[in-house]
Amino acid sequence: MLEEVRIQGLGVIDDAVLELSSGFTVVTGETGAGKTMVVTGLGLLFGGRADPARVRPGAERATVEGRLSVDPSGKVAARIEEAGAELDDATLIVSRSVSAEGRSRAHVGGRSVPVGLLAYLADELVAVHGQSDQQRFLQLGRQREALDRYAGGELAAVLGSYGTVYRRHAEARARLEEITTRARERAQEADLLRFGLEEIERADPKPGEDQALAEEDERLANAEDLRLAAGNAHEALAGDPAGDVVADVAGLLAAARGALEAVRGHDPALAAQADRLAEAGYLVADVAAELASYAEGIEADPARLALVQERRALLNQLVRKYAAPTPEGEGGVEGVLAWARESAARLAELDGDDERIEELTAEVAELEGSVAELADRLTAIRAAAAERFGAEVTAELAALAMPHARVAVRVQPAAGYGPHGRDEVEVLLAAHPGAPELPLHKGASGGELSRVMLAIEVVFAGADPVPTFVFDEVDAGVGGKAAVEIGRRLARLADAAQVIVVTHLPQVAAFADAHLVVEKSQAGTVTASGVTRLDHAGRQRELARMLAGLEDSEYGRAHAEELLANAAADRAARRGRRAAR
């Protein structure tokens, strides 16, 4: 539950601390004092929209910090640990800030986190209900979600299976439609791929062939220069037996080695140098032999050169047409071969269209049957849940001073199947006997809608309990006996959960276990609000103010005391019934 909330720089609230407890906590205050900022702050704390317009004038940012008690072994604690945050024993610190420029930041357990984690906490820990939430509930999609939530695990399991089959059916149908509607385009694509593959097959390029041909082209085009260079290098290294060259490298190395060999026995250092000269002589002899062989083997071959250049032109044409460019330039023969492999696979797919159409047609038909079967199961579960839901909400309305109202939930088929089945769900209200069942936005006044929402939330509390409920103006448009019944029902809801209510009705406030009042003060031209926790005497004065507008009115205080006494008696009776059970 929420143990404490601190609000700074939000609207008229400069710095206020809400000390919360289990049970029913009510927040009251004069109009304009900032009661709604409490709910706004809680909404911001749990992932709501960060509105910079809410930042208090003169403040750099608005900040809301909450301290919650959390089950250390529960799934919320596990999710928090996954995010890298930590619990302090069983306490979690959550904070959210929004700057005057609109920048928003969220922290959980001392760690900066995405706002989405706060929204997750809200789903698991807190249900905030205000006038805007009532308007959202009027949307048919929201009403279906509410019924599905009420239906529980059985529907959730079937809905999960349905969603999987529905997605598979949609994907298979999309593939089938693509193949059938784009048959002409796919045939043209197949012809182009077939032409390209045949062209490449005729050329029969080999990996690395373009590089090898480029080297051979260069060698053949410069054959005479290469032969002369190799011959000259050979003569320089080994001399020319038929010529007059005396000073060649091999001869000089032999002479140097001979000079050292004559004295190698006198000094090991010179012996080592003689060995190195011998090694150099062997290397020079090897190079000279290879140069002689190269010079004898190379010759100009104009016919071969023409063939090489013609083959290179053919490969370059294939590269330009089929190889994907690389950062270094065109992709070469390897790029052509890669295109051929990918295109062959694509062509096999396109050539198998007829067979694929048969397979997909059968698959779509089979999945259609599964979708219909699971949708029928969803409809049956929803219809049964709708009957129970309507009966329970109707019973709750009787306890909220609407004894003759009746709520029904209509489940009817939509035009087609959707991600959640084929059902349209609508909550209907007959406000009095003989009245037709009408959609909530047509059949309920503002006050009645507030009570219907409260009744729905009470029913949800039994089906899918949330630890903390926050209600803002749930009693709007209500007064008299109906207000007393709303207060009593909120108190009963607080037996199973923490309930925080912002109200302007003393009949509701009297039933609270704890009473917080938002008070504004004036310092010059600046208005600021703070929050005070009231004792019994303070509650009496506040209720008198709410009743008569005068907190010191004797009549108002007497009436306030009567409300508090009646609420205390009701509380004692509830405790007695719980003890008896």
Side-chain angles (χ1 to χ4, degrees):
M1 70 174 190
L2 275 168
E3 296 179 340
E4 182 179 280
V5 176
R6 183 173 187 178
I7 302 174
Q8 295 175 294
L10 186 66
V12 296
I13 298 179
D14 181 26
D15 190 347
V17 176
L18 284 73
E19 296 180 1
L20 304 170
S21 56
S22 59
F24 181 9
T25 300
V26 70
V27 180
T28 65
E30 294 183 1
T31 300
K35 300 188 298 298
T36 301
M37 286 299 103
V38 173
V39 178
T40 301
L42 291 173
L44 182 65
L45 183 64
F46 288 103
R49 187 174 72 90
D51 185 358
R54 295 290 191 179
V55 178
R56 181 174 172 78
E60 294 183 359
R61 64 183 63 252
T63 303
V64 184
E65 183 178 274
R67 186 175 74 238
L68 300 90
S69 60
V70 177
D71 180 5
S73 61
K75 64 178 181 179
V76 169
R79 179 68 181 85
I80 291 167
E81 291 176 2
E82 288 176 8
E86 296 181 355
L87 289 176
D88 183 6
D89 194 7
T91 300
L92 177 67
I93 304 298
V94 178
S95 69
R96 177 87 181 280
S97 65
V98 55
S99 69
E101 293 78 24
R103 292 189 297 273
S104 171
R105 294 177 180 173
H107 292 80
V108 173
R111 186 180 183 88
S112 178
V113 298
V115 175
L117 181 58
L118 300 185
Y120 169 82
L121 295 178
D123 289 340
E124 296 295 329
L125 300 177
V126 179
V128 180
H129 290 285
Q131 295 295 319
S132 59
D133 298 279
Q134 294 180 12
Q135 295 303 314
R136 283 196 294 270
F137 185 77
L138 297 180
Q139 302 170 9
L140 296 184
R142 295 275 183 174
Q143 295 178 17
R144 179 195 50 73
E145 291 173 3
L147 181 64
D148 287 357
R149 173 184 163 196
Y150 173 81
E154 181 185 8
L155 185 135
V158 177
L159 186 58
S161 300
Y162 172 86
T164 300
V165 174
Y166 177 82
R167 286 190 295 273
R168 288 177 54 201
H169 174 260
E171 292 167 0
R173 187 173 60 185
R175 290 196 299 270
L176 179 59
E177 289 178 356
E178 178 190 7
I179 293 175
T180 55
T181 58
R182 295 184 56 212
R184 182 177 179 180
E185 294 178 17
R186 293 169 70 89
Q188 292 174 343
E189 181 185 358
D191 288 342
L192 290 173
L193 292 176
R194 194 174 289 108
F195 174 84
L197 289 170
E198 290 174 354
E199 186 177 16
I200 293 171
E201 185 179 2
R202 286 194 301 271
D204 192 24
K206 300 295 189 296
E209 184 182 2
D210 51 347
Q211 182 63 33
L213 288 173
E215 294 173 359
E216 186 178 1
D217 187 355
E218 186 72 16
R219 187 167 57 251
L220 290 172
N222 298 277
E224 185 61 27
D225 291 341
L226 293 173
R227 188 185 63 76
L228 288 174
N232 292 336
H234 174 268
E235 291 179 6
L237 292 176
D240 183 1
D244 299 328
V245 178
V246 176
D248 57 76
V249 174
L252 294 174
L253 287 173
R257 178 188 176 192
L260 296 180
E261 287 287 351
V263 295
R264 69 177 295 152
H266 302 302
D267 189 343
L270 286 182
Q273 298 302 323
D275 292 339
R276 294 181 66 187
L277 286 171
E279 293 175 2
Y282 300 146
L283 178 61
V284 167
D286 288 343
V287 172
E290 290 180 6
L291 287 172
S293 176
Y294 180 88
E296 291 177 1
I298 192 167
E299 61 181 15
D301 188 347
R304 175 60 185 170
L305 178 60
L307 288 174
V308 169
Q309 292 177 343
E310 181 180 352
R311 179 67 175 173
R312 289 191 67 199
L314 175 62
L315 295 181
N316 287 336
Q317 183 181 18
L318 294 178
V319 168
R320 286 193 296 272
K321 290 175 67 174
Y322 302 112
T326 65
E328 294 77 22
E330 294 181 336
V333 168
E334 280 71 16
V336 174
L337 295 174
W339 182 91
R341 288 191 297 270
E342 296 170 1
S343 297
R346 176 61 175 166
L347 182 59
E349 178 185 341
L350 294 172
D351 285 343
D353 275 358
D354 291 341
E355 181 180 349
R356 186 63 178 145
I357 286 174
E358 292 181 6
E359 294 175 355
L360 285 173
T361 300
E363 182 181 359
V364 168
E366 180 182 354
L367 290 172
E368 279 179 354
S370 298
V371 167
E373 178 186 354
L374 289 170
D376 288 342
R377 291 176 61 187
L378 286 175
T379 299
I381 296 172
R382 284 182 176 133
E387 187 174 347
R388 298 194 308 273
F389 184 80
E392 291 190 34
V393 174
T394 297
E396 290 298 328
L397 288 177
L400 294 173
M402 293 179 66
H404 304 299
R406 185 179 73 260
V407 167
V409 182
R410 182 169 60 197
V411 179
Q412 59 185 9
Y417 296 99
H420 306 285
R422 62 179 177 190
D423 302 319
E424 287 186 350
V425 176
E426 188 168 22
V427 179
L428 306 174
L429 174 69
H432 53 81
E437 294 179 346
L438 296 174
L440 289 180
H441 67 283
K442 295 181 180 179
S445 65
E448 288 171 339
L449 181 58
S450 296
R451 279 178 279 175
V452 171
M453 288 298 299
L454 175 58
I456 288 172
E457 201 57 68
V458 169
V459 171
F460 279 160
D464 183 18
V466 175
T468 299
F469 295 92
V470 180
F471 292 98
D472 180 24
E473 303 289 348
V474 70
D475 47 20
V478 177
K481 182 180 179 181
V484 173
E485 293 302 331
I486 288 178
R488 181 176 287 115
R489 206 71 194 112
L490 288 167
R492 291 179 184 174
L493 178 60
D495 290 338
Q498 182 184 36
V499 177
I500 303 168
V501 178
V502 176
T503 184
H504 65 282
L505 292 180
Q507 297 94 329
V508 173
F511 281 90
D513 300 305
H515 193 146
L516 305 178
V517 63
V518 181
E519 298 176 308
K520 62 182 178 180
S521 60
Q522 194 81 20
T525 59
V526 179
T527 301
S529 293
V531 179
T532 303
R533 189 181 182 97
L534 301 179
D535 57 14
H536 182 82
R539 294 189 67 186
Q540 188 185 64
R541 289 193 300 272
E542 174 64 8
L543 292 181
R545 181 197 64 77
M546 297 170 72
L547 283 163
L550 299 171
E551 60 185 27
D552 294 325
S553 165
E554 183 177 345
Y555 171 78
R557 296 182 67 172
H559 193 180
E561 186 59 39
E562 181 181 6
L563 288 175
L564 290 170
N566 289 339
D570 186 83
R571 187 182 303 112
R574 291 200 316 275
R575 289 173 179 169
R577 287 192 295 271
R578 288 201 303 272
R581 289 196 296 267

